[in-house]
Structures are given as structure tokens and as C-alpha cells.
Amino acid sequence: MTEYNGYVTDETIEGAEDGPLAGKTVAVKDNISTEGVRTTCGSAMLSDYVPPYDATVVERLKDAGATIPGKTNMDEFGMGTTTETSAFGPVENPIAEGRVPGGSSGGSAAVVAAGDADLALGSDTGGSIRCPAAFCGVVGIKPTYGLVSRYGLVAYANSLEQIGPIAPTVEDAAELLDIIAGPDEHDATTQEAPEADGSYAAAADGDVDGLSIGVPTELLDGADEEVVETFWDAMADLEAQGASYHEVDLPSVEHAVEAYYVIAMSEASSNLARFDGVRYGQSGGYDGNWNESFANAREEGFGEEVKRRVLLGTYALSAGYHDKYYKKAQDARAWVKQDFDEALDDADVLASPTMPVPPMKRGESLDDPLTMYLADANTTPVNLANLPAISVPAGETDDGLPVGLQLVGPAFGEREIIRAGSALA
């Protein structure tokens, strides 16, 4: 275990003797199934759950020769931006004392930043790879929806989430993406990416000469002043290397956070219904009364943030409110997707700060969930549009806090964002 609480379980899983990842350690977020090794999702509800099978990405890691040194701590069921909602305690940011590591894949980013794993896997529903990558000064890739199998990922919001790599460098992240990407017969949402020259790792060549970058001004509005300054410094660096940038409009992102949370909470309400103390989760302990047992199991098994999101999601799906909230959110999602497609017709990639603020102080947002939700303003629109994005270190504030730059590409445009990101590395 680590002093910053990055791992929930430190049981080692050995991979094949040979392969492209032989000799490397790859930590795995604790909502990704590992056969015979506890998978808790950061929740008391699953504190003793041991999956009987490996997730597809875990199978691919093992086949590639990786050693899995443990399962990483996370916000409970992926619901959080700070990795403070875990039933196993909060994760400390190993490079910014007293600050959060971001979430919900905070444990994965922290163990990479601390050097306790060469690479890591996280999952990204609304920024859960990119946020901790930015806050911990490492690289995180959220792939196009369907590029990486979700088989074996404990679902939070099926239509939004993807598994992706976290690594110290863009090239390392791209190499891990080469291993985990590709169709899977167990996941009908996976697709074969269009044919392209070379691997994802080969795209990390830093060649941005002639690259056109769109800057959505809406994703700079309200951001911390030092974050904005660091962002523009990074853009100047890319321009000096031959890229050009111009402003683009994404008017729909004004409604993206609201739409995202309605959809994500609604899907969470449905997905987490299985945790009733009978099918999954700890027993509620009431003999003969199923309703009391069900209620007690969820009261004791779920943390406050999970309860809040399940309740709000159930309300949004209830009779009389489905059209008012859920349907409107889906309409807004289509608008967001349209805006991104139009912006990417006029640019090769889009750029913004990954997070509008530097890493928050520990405990700062726990009593103010709305502030925590609004911190996802730059990342959630990408998940609504099902597009790929990468967060790369862009610099630091005057206080030495890390700032990330987010690059968004067209569907299956991972090579474009990897190439642009590698120019900043």
C-alpha cells in the first residue's frame, strides 16, 4: 500500500513472460474486473466482491506481458471529481501536498505520478481520466466511444464511459492504447477503427507543422486566471512549432454539464439497481422483509454522493418527469455532438484547459457538490459527443500546481490528438 492511499488492493497479477509490456507494471482502476482479485469500485457495497472473470482489457494486459501491481482507489462507483468519496478513504495528490488528485480515477493517476506503477488504466465517464491526469501532472487519454471494450467494467453510465490509459508520457499512453484498443465479441458497442498508417505510439512524433487548432472560447470563460495564462503559453509553444490556432464556437456547451448529469445519473439509477444485497452487495440483514432488507443494504452500502445521484436519476426517469428532464438532456446531447462535428470540420483538433481550476484543496468541494459538478465543464461535453480527448501537462501555476491542456479530435482521431499532445511533452 502507499502512504497517499493510491491502491485499494496490492495483490500482484502476473502476465505472460513475453510481450510488448513485459517488465512493465500497469495498475488497474478498481472498477475493472480482475479474476480472483477483489474489485470494490471504492464502495462498501462491494468490499468483498471477487469477480469470476477478467475484463477484456485485463486479458489484453496479461497477454502483452504486463504485471498488475494492484487495484487503484477511486471515487465510489466513479462518482466524483476528487477521489474523496471512496469508502476506503481519500487519495492524496503525491505531487501537490494538501490537494486532491482529481477523480474519479485519482488512484490510477496518483500511482503513476508517484512512480509506483509504470502505467495505469482508468475509466472516463465525464472526465475521470483527464481530470486526475491534469491534477497529477501526467498524461491521460479518453478514447473514442467504442474503441476500447467495456466488457468487465462495472457500469456507471454505459453510454458515456470508456476505459483508457494514464501514463507519464504521451508515447507511453499511446503504447498502452495500442494494447487495449480493438473490437471485442463481448462488447457490441466496440468498433474497428478506420485504417490508418502506423500505431498510436508511432503518432507520438511531435510533428504539428500545419496543424489547425480550434479554441472554443466558451471553455475558457470562468476559468482560473493562471490556468488561462498557462493555456495560452502552451498554445504559443504549439504555434512556434508550426501549428496555427483560431477561435471556434460551441454554443451548446452552456448546457452540457446539466445534460451530462441528468443522463449520467439516470443511467446510474438503472445500473445500480442490481446492488440490492441479494444479487450483488452485502445483505441488508432483515429476515422476511425484502423491502426493509433492500433499503438497509443500500443505506449501509452506498456513500452520500452515490445516494444523491441515484435519487436524482430515479426522479429524472419517473413518470411525468422523463420528457421534462431526460428527453431534454438527450436533445441537448445531440446539439453538443453537432457543434463539435461542425467545429472539427474547421480544425484538426480542438484545445482547451483540461480543468478550469488547479487541484482543489482536500475537503473543499465535499460540502458543495454543485461546485464539484461545475468543475467538469470542459470535460463532460466530450463524453456527450463520444469523441477522443487527451490531457497533457501544460505547465504550472505560480504556486507550482499542475495545469493540463485538453486536445479533442474527431471520432477515431486518436492519432491527431496524440501527435499534437506529444509536441508539448
Side-chain angles (χ1 to χ4, degrees):
M1 296 295 180
T2 56
E3 60 182 13
Y4 54 88
N5 203 29
Y7 287 109
V8 172
T9 303
D10 57 2
E11 185 173 342
T12 300
I13 303 171
E14 298 290 349
E17 291 184 4
D18 299 314
L21 294 179
K24 292 188 176 182
T25 54
V26 185
V28 174
K29 187 176 180 180
D30 206 28
N31 61 346
I32 299 173
S33 298
T34 42
E35 182 180 2
V37 176
R38 193 171 62 134
T39 299
T40 71
C41 295
S43 179
M45 180 67 82
L46 293 177
S47 59
D48 297 322
Y49 173 63
V50 178
Y53 68 100
D54 279 330
T56 295
V57 291
V58 172
E59 286 185 350
R60 290 176 179 176
L61 290 181
K62 290 162 72 173
D63 290 345
T67 296
I68 299 172
K71 306 295 292 294
T72 58
N73 206 351
M74 57 179 285
D75 281 303
E76 185 178 9
F77 285 104
M79 300 181 191
T81 307
T82 61
T83 314
E84 294 178 288
T85 69
S86 171
F88 303 97
V91 177
E92 304 262 2
N93 190 324
I95 68 165
E97 186 176 356
R99 303 281 174 157
V100 300
S104 64
S105 307
S108 290
V111 299
V112 172
D116 288 323
D118 297 318
L119 308 163
L121 290 183
S123 63
D124 193 310
T125 308
S128 291
I129 287 173
R130 290 160 288 155
C131 166
F135 281 4
C136 291
V138 294
V139 175
I141 298 176
K142 179 257 172 208
T144 303
Y145 188 82
L147 181 65
V148 177
S149 173
R150 292 181 298 109
Y151 178 72
L153 175 68
V154 180
Y156 161 21
N158 310 61
S159 74
L160 297 163
E161 57 203 5
Q162 274 287 271
I163 296 170
I166 295 175
T169 70
V170 174
E171 185 174 5
D172 288 336
E175 287 178 353
L176 184 51
L177 183 61
D178 277 318
I179 300 299
I180 63 174
D184 175 24
E185 64 180 359
H186 298 298
D187 180 359
T189 67
T190 54
Q191 303 177 54
E192 185 77 64
E195 286 190 23
D197 294 331
S199 64
Y200 295 116
D205 57 15
D207 182 8
V208 293
D209 189 30
L211 184 77
S212 173
I213 304 173
V215 178
T217 54
E218 294 89 349
L219 299 185
L220 296 172
D221 293 342
D224 177 88
E225 185 176 331
E226 286 192 73
V227 168
V228 174
E229 288 177 2
T230 305
F231 169 76
W232 286 121
D233 287 344
M235 294 305 297
D237 186 356
L238 290 170
E239 186 178 38
Q241 297 182 59
S244 63
Y245 63 85
H246 60 278
E247 293 184 358
V248 296
D249 292 325
L250 291 176
S252 61
V253 299
E254 177 185 356
H255 308 288
V257 170
E258 297 97 316
Y260 165 80
Y261 275 104
V262 169
I263 294 169
M265 291 178 182
S266 297
E267 293 187 16
S269 170
S270 176
N271 281 322
L272 270 62
R274 74 192 74 176
F275 302 111
D276 56 9
V278 177
R279 290 170 293 182
Y280 293 95
Q282 298 183 0
S283 170
Y286 282 82
D287 294 331
N289 188 323
W290 185 86
N291 288 321
E292 288 186 9
S293 180
F294 175 83
N296 194 53
R298 292 164 75 83
E299 169 64 27
E300 294 180 356
F302 289 153
E304 292 304 311
E305 184 60 30
V306 172
K307 292 173 189 173
R308 180 183 296 115
R309 298 194 190 196
V310 168
L311 285 170
L312 289 171
T314 302
Y315 178 77
L317 291 175
S318 60
Y321 296 99
H322 178 278
D323 288 354
K324 184 177 181 180
Y325 295 111
Y326 186 73
K327 185 176 183 299
K328 280 188 176 180
Q330 291 288 10
D331 290 342
R333 181 179 191 171
W335 183 20
V336 170
K337 171 71 169 146
Q338 177 181 318
D339 277 358
F340 269 97
D341 288 345
E342 290 177 357
L344 286 164
D345 283 341
D346 193 37
D348 297 316
V349 298
L350 306 180
S352 75
T354 306
M355 300 297 290
V357 293
M360 295 88 84
K361 293 179 180 178
R362 281 189 55 195
E364 198 171 58
S365 62
L366 284 178
D367 296 327
D368 188 3
L370 182 58
T371 298
M372 180 170 66
Y373 299 162
L374 292 175
D376 297 333
N378 290 8
T379 55
T380 54
V382 182
N383 295 77
L384 290 174
N386 288 337
L387 297 177
I390 187 172
S391 178
V392 296
E396 296 179 344
T397 66
D398 291 342
D399 293 332
L401 299 176
V403 175
L405 180 131
Q406 174 178 245
L407 295 160
V408 183
F412 299 103
E414 277 76 7
R415 288 173 178 82
E416 287 91 334
I417 59 173
I418 287 169
R419 182 169 288 111
S422 65
L424 281 175

